[in-house]
């Protein structure tokens, strides 16, 4: 209630102001408690009950001390003491009545002190219990995160060994065939293409591992300058078109805006777009369509990659950008180390942007949307 009152007054939420308003509200609560006790006394007096007024005031003191603390309960005691003089009609000129009133006030102050200390102990105990529960929850979350990280690293090592073995075996077999017979140019060219593909696959995996390590340690540097985002996306589509054609997938480009100038690293942004397109192609079946679009959205440029492939399960969607995360690495392997999307997310965030993944579920396709803010240069012209 105190914090809501503070918020409604539009005050800053620093600790000193909160403490000040809590004290003021506490004293106000003590005043209202005393007024309530006096009103109850007058109502009992109206009913003809005149022998329990001091009990009513004492209960008000206990309530004020328990709810608001020692200071507000002293205010309640002072007001109730004055009420005892004016409404109970004590004769303060009489030594006996004056002594009785003094003893009553001292008793009230003692009650206030005891109840106030009990309130502080109760609040301290509640705070301690809350801190213990929070620490327990944080420890449980840390344990679960450590278990997930350990499991992810084990999966990564398994996938790394598997993914490295495949291109190395291709290189070994192709090299062996070339050594055995170089007289057939067609076979030699085919084997050289396989070696080239395997080497590029190994290079991409190593680059992903290195980039992931640099991102974790904060050592990844961006070469930011004025660029045309539309040109970057078109070049990424051009690079990924042969990959899509090899799998008989149609790659559709829908760029509504010509010339979208932003400040960014063109190579890293091209890497992000290529990674998203490669993922979409990888998890799409033959004959399906992968679409990429670029639009102006207020103060941001929106890049969206959509496919109608395998989709993402709802339980995995929140973890899709985690390092080493794969929905089901043991079944229907598609290749990859589970690093690509985490790298994309970090690079987009380094550009002050954000990326969102959406999917209606398994076999319903997926959509990845990148939002990059416009940071237009004042003098230089955008160039690719």
């Amino acid at each position: 209630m105190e914090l809501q009152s503070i918020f409604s007054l539009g005050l800053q939420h620093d600790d000193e102001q909160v403490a000040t308003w809590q004290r003021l509200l506490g004293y106000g609560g003590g005043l209202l408690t005393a007024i309530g006790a006096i009103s109850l006394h007058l109502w009992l007096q109206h009913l003809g009950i005149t022998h329990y007024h001091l009990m009513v005031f004492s209960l008000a003191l206990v309530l004020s001390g328990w709810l608001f603390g020692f200071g507000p309960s002293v205010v309640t005691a002072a007001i109730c003491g004055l009420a005892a003089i004016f409404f109970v009609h004590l004769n303060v000129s009489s030594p006996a009545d004056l002594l009785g009133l003094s003893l009553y006030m001292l008793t009230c102050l003692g009650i206030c002190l005891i109840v106030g200390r009990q309130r502080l102990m109760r609040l301290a105990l509640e705070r301690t219990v809350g801190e213990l529960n929070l620490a327990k929850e944080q420890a449980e979350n840390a344990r679960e995160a450590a278990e997930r990280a350990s499991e992810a690293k084990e999966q990564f090592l398994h996938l790394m060994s598997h993914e490295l073995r495949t291109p190395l075996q291709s290189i070994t077999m192709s090299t062996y065939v070339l050594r055995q017979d170089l007289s057939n140019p067609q076979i030699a060219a085919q084997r050289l293409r396989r070696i080239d593909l395997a080497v590029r696959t190994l290079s991409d995996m190593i680059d992903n591992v290195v980039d992931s390590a640099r991102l974790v340690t904060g050592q990844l540097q961006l070469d930011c300058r004025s660029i045309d985002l539309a040109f970057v996306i078109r070049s990424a589509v051009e690079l990924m078109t042969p990959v899509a054609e090899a799998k008989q997938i149609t790659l559709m480009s829908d760029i509504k805006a010509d010339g979208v100038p932003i400040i960014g690293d063109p190579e890293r942004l091209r890497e992000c777009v290529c990674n998203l397109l490669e993922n979409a192609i990888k998890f799409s079946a033959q004959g399906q369509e992968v679409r990429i679009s670029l639009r102006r959205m207020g103060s941001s440029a929106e890049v969206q990659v959509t496919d109608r492939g395998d989709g993402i399960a709802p339980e995995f969607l929140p973890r899709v950008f985690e390092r080493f995360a794969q929905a089901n690495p043991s079944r229907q392997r598609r290749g990859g180390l589970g690093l690509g999307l985490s790298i994309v997310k970090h690079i987009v965030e380094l550009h002050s942007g954000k990326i969102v993944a959406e999917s209606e579920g398994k076999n319903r396709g997926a959509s990845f949307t990148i939002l990059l803010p416009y940071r237009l240069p004042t003098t230089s012209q955008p160039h690719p």
Side-chain angles (χ1 to χ4, degrees):
M1 291 296 295
E2 292 117 346
L3 290 179
Q4 291 178 354
S5 301
I6 293 172
F7 294 157
S8 64
L9 292 174
L11 298 176
Q12 297 179 352
H13 303 158
D14 53 64
D15 295 338
E16 293 183 359
Q17 288 179 329
V18 170
T20 300
W21 279 94
Q22 284 179 340
R23 286 194 294 270
L24 292 176
L25 290 171
Y27 283 106
L31 176 62
L32 291 176
T33 303
I35 294 174
I38 295 172
S39 301
L40 179 60
H41 164 71
L42 294 176
W43 180 66
L44 293 176
Q45 192 176 46
H46 177 72
L47 296 178
I49 303 174
T50 59
H51 302 290
Y52 303 102
H53 47 269
L54 293 181
M55 182 180 294
V56 172
F57 294 154
S58 300
L59 291 175
L61 291 178
V62 173
L63 181 64
S64 179
W66 183 256
L67 294 178
F68 309 113
F70 177 72
S73 64
V74 171
V75 173
T76 304
I79 296 176
C80 289
L82 294 174
I85 295 174
F86 291 103
F87 294 108
V88 183
H89 305 295
L90 291 177
N91 184 7
V92 293
S93 61
S94 170
D97 287 344
L98 183 61
L99 177 62
L101 181 60
S102 300
L103 291 175
Y104 170 72
M105 294 299 296
L106 289 175
T107 303
C108 289
L109 291 176
I111 293 174
C112 293
L113 182 60
I114 293 172
V115 175
R117 288 179 63 87
Q118 291 294 325
R119 175 179 178 270
L120 291 177
M121 293 176 63
R122 174 175 60 86
L123 293 177
L125 180 61
E126 291 176 354
R127 188 182 302 111
T128 302
V129 171
E131 291 174 353
L132 288 175
N133 290 334
L134 179 60
K136 181 180 178 181
E137 182 180 354
Q138 291 176 344
E140 184 68 19
N141 292 337
R143 183 185 64 81
E144 293 177 357
E147 290 179 353
R148 288 198 304 267
S150 178
E151 181 181 356
K153 288 180 180 178
E154 291 178 0
Q155 291 180 355
F156 169 73
L157 293 175
H158 174 73
L159 292 174
M160 188 71 174
S161 62
H162 180 275
E163 295 297 332
L164 287 174
R165 188 181 297 114
T166 301
L168 286 174
Q169 286 177 347
S170 178
I171 293 173
T172 302
M173 292 299 298
S174 298
T175 305
Y176 175 78
V177 171
L178 288 175
R179 284 177 178 175
Q180 294 298 317
D181 184 12
L182 289 175
S183 60
N184 191 330
Q186 185 176 0
I187 295 178
Q190 181 182 10
R191 292 300 174 176
L192 288 173
R193 282 196 298 269
R194 290 187 180 181
I195 291 175
D196 180 65
L197 178 61
V199 170
R200 282 191 284 124
T201 302
L202 285 173
S203 178
D204 290 341
M205 284 192 289
I206 293 172
D207 287 343
N208 282 340
V209 174
V210 172
D211 284 346
S212 180
R214 287 176 177 172
L215 286 169
V216 171
T217 58
Q219 296 179 351
L220 183 66
Q221 301 295 324
L222 297 181
D223 181 18
C224 290
R225 56 183 184 271
S226 178
I227 61 172
D228 180 3
L229 185 58
F231 179 87
V232 172
I233 292 177
R234 289 191 180 99
S235 63
V237 172
E238 184 178 350
L239 287 173
M240 297 307 300
T241 297
V243 180
E245 291 176 348
K247 199 176 176 181
Q248 299 180 8
I249 290 176
T250 304
L251 187 55
M252 301 294 295
S253 177
D254 182 16
I255 300 179
K256 296 295 186 183
D258 289 330
V260 182
I262 65 170
I263 300 296
D265 186 330
E267 296 302 325
R268 291 298 180 182
L269 290 176
R270 186 181 293 110
E271 177 185 349
C272 290
V273 176
C274 287
N275 200 310
L276 294 180
L277 289 174
E278 184 180 9
N279 255 19
I281 294 169
K282 182 191 302 182
F283 293 101
S284 297
Q286 290 184 357
Q288 290 185 333
E289 180 182 284
V290 172
R291 179 177 294 271
I292 180 170
S293 63
L294 172 63
R295 292 180 176 85
R296 296 177 181 268
M297 299 292 291
S299 61
S300 300
E302 180 192 82
V303 182
Q304 188 175 66
V305 176
T306 306
D307 66 79
R308 302 306 300 172
D310 290 354
I312 306 172
E315 62 272 13
F316 182 73
L317 194 58
R319 300 181 52 231
V320 72
F321 293 109
E322 292 182 5
R323 296 171 69 225
F324 315 127
Q326 295 200 2
N328 194 346
S330 62
R331 181 172 62 89
Q332 200 175 357
R333 286 286 303 132
R334 301 295 184 91
L337 301 176
L339 294 174
L341 290 179
S342 67
I343 294 174
V344 170
K345 182 175 185 293
H346 278 90
I347 292 176
V348 169
E349 290 176 348
L350 287 176
H351 284 83
S352 302
K354 66 178 181 179
I355 182 171
V356 179
E358 297 175 312
S359 178
E360 298 178 0
K362 296 294 291 181
N363 301 318
R364 302 289 297 274
S367 175
F368 290 86
T369 304
I370 297 176
L371 291 176
L372 295 171
Y374 295 130
R375 290 180 291 177
L376 299 178
T378 56
T379 56
S380 59
Q381 295 297 321
H383 58 81

